Amino acid sequence: MKKLFIVVNVDWFLLSHRLPIALAAKEQGYDVTIVCANTGHREKIESYGFRFIDIPFERSGSNPIHELKCVSLLYKLYRKHKPCIIHHVTLKVCLLGSLVAKMLGHKNVVNAISGLGYNFTGDRNGLTQQIMRRMIPIAFKSKTFRFILQNPEDVDFISKMKLVPKENIILIKGSGVNLSKYSYTKLPQTDKMQFLFPARMLYDKGLGELIDAANILKSKIEDKAEFILAGDCDLENLATIQPYELQKKIDSDYIKWIGFQKDMISVYQQSSVVVLPSYREGLPKSLIEACAIGRPIITTDVPGCRECVIDGYNGRLVEAKNVEALASAILEFVENKNLMEMYSQNSRLLAEKEFSIENVVNKTIEIYRTLSRI
């Protein structure tokens, strides 16, 4: 059996974003080991028949001593187990893991960068960002490494750096969605339209702009609409909104924060429109799930988000950080409910065409097969 290491930053991300790939690889005969930080989901991951190795990655940490510790642990791990294929997921893990793989002369590496994240959003250019930019060519330059990227802009970014042969850069749109589980559901018939924000409570997700836009419209639409914020405050992320700050900003009758929801399918089903005014994404899982359920979407015309919406087909694209444009799009949906049914059906059609989990899994397994032959 060929050894496959899937290396992610944290256990819950494996379960939410990469579990179908790990299961498919196991089915194909790979000996799968999950390498990540254990936050309490080790037993669940092991219940699927995977080996589990705990590496204490910090998702947003910038402590160089801690990062060097992780590099050392990965070095010992890769040298001891000699995996046939190493699949790194998320930018930091890709950087640290690729650096170790190069030290050991390991050629069969897949780097899945699910968005360039906080450090490449906006004009951030601090010490951490500068170090990461310098590390990229050192860690990633290779004739054999494969890169999985989720949107054309990220493909272009990596391609222009000429780190790997062009054919080694593969576009796979998002983490995929189970179209049977996330089945099409008709729009709810309610007195108030429900605008759902399904994301972590981060400034970079456009939460501040959404709250401002909702407040601008309050006198016009509070008897016709409500806003639901479904997600936790990610305290490890530098762009987080602290819980006490968020509570100050919202009106619980008009803008409601319901926190993390385990059953997001029912949350989508109860919503009328999904709104994600993010600054930049890889390709947000929340939007492809919204498409599958059949929900009209308002999002920003930025990398990652624009892949989920064809403007005027299944929703609206607005300029990032533009509160007035966001408010205008929300008002358009409230005042033109006849658009909703068309957008709803078109979202489902887009999901069927672009975002099925089978497509993502098949493309990833084919990359494994190609590397196994090297």
Side-chain angles (χ1 to χ4, degrees):
M1 293 177 72
K2 292 183 172 68
K3 288 184 181 179
L4 167 66
F5 275 26
I6 299 179
V7 189
V8 301
N9 50 14
V10 68
D11 49 9
W12 57 258
F13 187 84
L14 181 281
L15 292 171
S16 64
H17 285 70
R18 292 296 184 277
L19 180 60
I21 290 171
L23 289 169
K26 185 171 180 289
E27 215 172 89
Q28 291 290 319
Y30 290 91
D31 179 8
V32 182
T33 298
I34 307 302
V35 181
C36 62
N38 177 24
T39 68
H41 300 286
R42 176 176 188 149
E43 191 174 325
K44 184 169 184 180
I45 289 171
E46 289 179 333
S47 73
Y48 289 106
F50 306 131
R51 291 185 181 85
F52 186 101
I53 298 174
D54 185 5
I55 296 283
F57 293 118
E58 290 181 352
R59 289 187 298 123
S60 300
S62 55
N63 182 339
I65 295 173
H66 181 82
E67 305 306 338
L68 285 171
K69 177 185 175 184
C70 290
V71 167
S72 175
L73 290 170
L74 287 174
Y75 184 90
K76 292 173 184 175
L77 187 65
Y78 293 177
R79 187 176 62 177
K80 177 182 177 182
H81 293 276
K82 296 180 175 60
C84 173
I85 298 170
I86 305 171
H87 185 166
H88 302 124
V89 184
T90 73
L91 180 59
K92 182 191 280 191
V93 170
C94 288
L95 283 170
L96 299 181
S98 293
L99 195 62
V100 171
K102 289 187 78 172
M103 289 178 192
L104 292 168
H106 202 301
K107 296 180 178 180
N108 293 354
V109 171
V110 182
N111 287 318
I113 301 175
S114 48
L116 295 172
Y118 176 89
N119 290 297
F120 289 85
T121 301
D123 300 319
R124 294 178 178 126
N125 195 34
L127 181 61
T128 300
Q129 290 76 33
Q130 292 178 39
I131 291 171
M132 290 184 78
R133 288 186 177 96
R134 288 176 183 174
M135 274 188 68
I136 283 175
I138 297 170
F140 288 165
K141 193 169 182 62
S142 167
K143 291 181 180 178
T144 61
F145 287 6
R146 263 57 175 182
F147 284 83
I148 297 174
L149 300 162
Q150 296 191 342
N151 64 69
E153 285 80 6
D154 287 353
V155 168
D156 191 50
F157 176 83
I158 295 295
S159 297
K160 283 180 177 176
M161 299 186 79
K162 297 181 179 177
L163 302 170
V164 296
K166 225 171 187 178
E167 61 270 19
N168 289 12
I169 301 172
I170 302 101
L171 174 65
I172 300 179
K173 291 187 175 181
S175 305
V177 62
N178 184 326
L179 294 171
S180 299
K181 183 178 178 183
Y182 288 79
S183 58
Y184 177 78
T185 308
K186 288 186 177 181
L187 292 167
Q189 301 301 310
T190 55
D191 294 333
K192 286 188 177 183
M193 290 179 66
Q194 189 179 101
F195 289 83
L196 172 66
F197 176 85
R200 290 169 292 157
M201 302 295 110
L202 303 177
Y203 285 108
D204 284 2
K205 299 290 183 184
L207 180 56
E209 286 81 3
L210 177 60
I211 291 171
D212 289 345
N215 286 329
I216 286 172
L217 295 170
K218 186 174 182 181
S219 62
K220 292 182 181 178
I221 68 170
E222 65 177 322
D223 60 333
K224 303 174 185 175
E226 61 182 358
F227 295 82
I228 306 298
L229 314 179
D232 59 8
C233 286
D234 184 356
L235 300 179
E236 287 186 49
N237 194 298
L238 298 176
T240 196
I241 298 178
Q242 295 290 334
Y244 71 89
E245 291 180 286
L246 184 56
Q247 293 291 0
K248 285 182 189 175
K249 290 176 179 287
I250 62 176
D251 172 348
S252 58
D253 292 326
Y254 176 58
I255 306 173
K256 303 173 183 177
W257 178 34
I258 62 174
F260 172 79
Q261 298 293 303
K262 193 172 182 180
D263 178 17
M264 277 302 296
I265 292 177
S266 64
V267 177
Y268 287 123
Q269 289 172 338
Q270 293 163 30
S271 69
S272 310
V273 181
V274 170
V275 188
L276 185 69
S278 183
Y279 300 170
R280 186 187 177 104
E281 296 280 342
L283 200 146
K285 191 171 178 65
S286 59
L287 291 191
I288 65 174
E289 290 172 346
C291 282
I293 294 284
R295 289 302 172 264
I297 296 169
I298 300 171
T299 191
T300 39
D301 190 8
V302 299
C305 293
R306 67 170 69 106
E307 274 63 53
C308 300
V309 170
I310 301 170
D311 194 45
Y313 175 76
N314 69 316
R316 298 295 293 176
L317 290 173
V318 300
E319 183 183 15
K321 304 182 184 180
N322 189 327
V323 174
E324 290 74 20
L326 180 58
S328 177
I330 292 168
L331 187 61
E332 178 186 346
F333 277 67
V334 174
E335 293 182 342
N336 296 276
K337 290 188 179 179
N338 57 319
L339 289 173
M340 299 284 288
E341 190 60 39
M342 179 186 74
Y343 285 170
S344 170
Q345 293 175 9
N346 289 343
S347 270
R348 176 65 186 190
L349 291 173
L350 187 62
E352 291 173 354
K353 181 182 177 183
E354 298 280 359
F355 304 131
S356 76
I357 189 62
E358 289 81 9
N359 185 46
V360 172
V361 168
N362 291 340
K363 285 184 176 180
T364 306
I365 296 297
E366 183 54 38
I367 294 170
Y368 294 167
R369 288 198 189 107
T370 301
L371 287 172
S372 296
R373 293 192 289 266
I374 293 177

